[in-house]
PDB file of all heavy atoms in Angstrom:
ATOM      1  N   ALA A 524     -35.809 -20.785  11.096  1.00 97.00           N
ATOM      2  CA  ALA A 524     -37.058 -20.530  11.683  1.00 97.00           C
ATOM      3  C   ALA A 524     -36.933 -20.366  13.210  1.00 97.00           C
ATOM      4  O   ALA A 524     -37.460 -19.492  13.860  1.00 97.00           O
ATOM      5  CB  ALA A 524     -38.166 -21.512  11.250  1.00 97.00           C
ATOM      6  N   VAL A 525     -36.263 -21.434  13.807  1.00 97.00           N
ATOM      7  CA  VAL A 525     -36.119 -21.406  15.261  1.00 97.00           C
ATOM      8  C   VAL A 525     -35.234 -20.164  15.661  1.00 97.00           C
ATOM      9  O   VAL A 525     -35.671 -19.495  16.666  1.00 97.00           O
ATOM     10  CB  VAL A 525     -35.335 -22.697  15.612  1.00 97.00           C
ATOM     11  CG1 VAL A 525     -34.880 -22.601  17.159  1.00 97.00           C
ATOM     12  CG2 VAL A 525     -36.255 -23.935  15.431  1.00 97.00           C
ATOM     13  N   LEU A 526     -34.185 -19.871  14.875  1.00 97.00           N
ATOM     14  CA  LEU A 526     -33.277 -18.707  15.299  1.00 97.00           C
ATOM     15  C   LEU A 526     -34.090 -17.400  15.150  1.00 97.00           C
ATOM     16  O   LEU A 526     -33.866 -16.474  15.984  1.00 97.00           O
ATOM     17  CB  LEU A 526     -32.092 -18.737  14.553  1.00 97.00           C
ATOM     18  CG  LEU A 526     -31.197 -19.863  14.651  1.00 97.00           C
ATOM     19  CD1 LEU A 526     -29.895 -19.820  13.788  1.00 97.00           C
ATOM     20  CD2 LEU A 526     -30.750 -20.113  16.116  1.00 97.00           C
ATOM     21  N   SER A 527     -34.972 -17.275  14.090  1.00 97.00           N
ATOM     22  CA  SER A 527     -35.719 -16.114  13.856  1.00 97.00           C
ATOM     23  C   SER A 527     -36.674 -15.875  15.134  1.00 97.00           C
ATOM     24  O   SER A 527     -36.876 -14.798  15.545  1.00 97.00           O
ATOM     25  CB  SER A 527     -36.432 -16.137  12.581  1.00 97.00           C
ATOM     26  OG  SER A 527     -37.271 -15.067  12.443  1.00 97.00           O
ATOM     27  N   GLU A 528     -37.343 -17.037  15.539  1.00 97.00           N
ATOM     28  CA  GLU A 528     -38.285 -16.863  16.618  1.00 97.00           C
ATOM     29  C   GLU A 528     -37.559 -16.461  17.955  1.00 97.00           C
ATOM     30  O   GLU A 528     -38.282 -15.826  18.854  1.00 97.00           O
ATOM     31  CB  GLU A 528     -39.054 -18.129  16.691  1.00 97.00           C
ATOM     32  CG  GLU A 528     -40.017 -18.353  15.517  1.00 97.00           C
ATOM     33  CD  GLU A 528     -40.669 -19.690  15.565  1.00 97.00           C
ATOM     34  OE1 GLU A 528     -40.253 -20.570  16.305  1.00 97.00           O
ATOM     35  OE2 GLU A 528     -41.636 -19.946  14.726  1.00 97.00           O
ATOM     36  N   ILE A 529     -36.327 -16.780  18.126  1.00 97.00           N
ATOM     37  CA  ILE A 529     -35.571 -16.418  19.235  1.00 97.00           C
ATOM     38  C   ILE A 529     -35.262 -14.885  19.199  1.00 97.00           C
ATOM     39  O   ILE A 529     -35.356 -14.229  20.181  1.00 97.00           O
ATOM     40  CB  ILE A 529     -34.261 -17.230  19.326  1.00 97.00           C
ATOM     41  CG1 ILE A 529     -34.518 -18.695  19.626  1.00 97.00           C
ATOM     42  CG2 ILE A 529     -33.328 -16.679  20.436  1.00 97.00           C
ATOM     43  CD1 ILE A 529     -33.380 -19.646  19.611  1.00 97.00           C
ATOM     44  N   CYS A 530     -34.841 -14.471  17.977  1.00 97.00           N
ATOM     45  CA  CYS A 530     -34.296 -13.128  17.733  1.00 97.00           C
ATOM     46  C   CYS A 530     -35.410 -12.126  17.710  1.00 97.00           C
ATOM     47  O   CYS A 530     -35.211 -10.916  18.046  1.00 97.00           O
ATOM     48  CB  CYS A 530     -33.447 -13.043  16.519  1.00 97.00           C
ATOM     49  SG  CYS A 530     -31.855 -13.877  16.645  1.00 97.00           S
ATOM     50  N   CYS A 531     -36.486 -12.421  17.127  1.00 97.00           N
ATOM     51  CA  CYS A 531     -37.639 -11.464  16.773  1.00 97.00           C
ATOM     52  C   CYS A 531     -37.100 -10.216  16.011  1.00 97.00           C
ATOM     53  O   CYS A 531     -36.994  -9.126  16.662  1.00 97.00           O
ATOM     54  CB  CYS A 531     -38.338 -11.037  18.088  1.00 97.00           C
ATOM     55  SG  CYS A 531     -39.302 -12.344  18.864  1.00 97.00           S
ATOM     56  N   PRO A 532     -36.499 -10.365  14.940  1.00 97.00           N
ATOM     57  CA  PRO A 532     -35.826  -9.280  14.203  1.00 97.00           C
ATOM     58  C   PRO A 532     -36.701  -8.129  13.897  1.00 97.00           C
ATOM     59  O   PRO A 532     -37.822  -8.280  13.551  1.00 97.00           O
ATOM     60  CB  PRO A 532     -35.287  -9.958  12.846  1.00 97.00           C
ATOM     61  CG  PRO A 532     -35.338 -11.416  13.131  1.00 97.00           C
ATOM     62  CD  PRO A 532     -36.532 -11.624  14.038  1.00 97.00           C
ATOM     63  N   ASP A 533     -36.122  -6.857  13.930  1.00 97.00           N
ATOM     64  CA  ASP A 533     -36.656  -5.698  13.505  1.00 97.00           C
ATOM     65  C   ASP A 533     -36.366  -5.467  12.041  1.00 97.00           C
ATOM     66  O   ASP A 533     -37.164  -4.977  11.238  1.00 97.00           O
ATOM     67  CB  ASP A 533     -36.271  -4.520  14.307  1.00 97.00           C
ATOM     68  CG  ASP A 533     -36.753  -4.629  15.723  1.00 97.00           C
ATOM     69  OD1 ASP A 533     -37.958  -4.430  16.055  1.00 97.00           O
ATOM     70  OD2 ASP A 533     -35.905  -5.045  16.615  1.00 97.00           O
ATOM     71  N   ILE A 534     -35.195  -5.816  11.653  1.00 98.00           N
ATOM     72  CA  ILE A 534     -34.594  -5.750  10.318  1.00 98.00           C
ATOM     73  C   ILE A 534     -33.940  -7.089   9.919  1.00 98.00           C
ATOM     74  O   ILE A 534     -33.175  -7.578  10.815  1.00 98.00           O
ATOM     75  CB  ILE A 534     -33.608  -4.668  10.197  1.00 98.00           C
ATOM     76  CG1 ILE A 534     -34.175  -3.294  10.410  1.00 98.00           C
ATOM     77  CG2 ILE A 534     -33.000  -4.664   8.805  1.00 98.00           C
ATOM     78  CD1 ILE A 534     -33.152  -2.099  10.418  1.00 98.00           C
ATOM     79  N   ALA A 535     -34.267  -7.646   8.852  1.00 98.00           N
ATOM     80  CA  ALA A 535     -33.702  -8.898   8.332  1.00 98.00           C
ATOM     81  C   ALA A 535     -32.970  -8.712   7.062  1.00 98.00           C
ATOM     82  O   ALA A 535     -33.467  -7.901   6.239  1.00 98.00           O
ATOM     83  CB  ALA A 535     -34.708  -9.993   8.235  1.00 98.00           C
TER      84      ALA A 535
END
Side-chain angles (χ1 to χ4, degrees):
V525 170
L526 298 181
S527 176
E528 289 172 348
I529 292 170
C530 290
C531 295
D533 298 282
I534 298 174

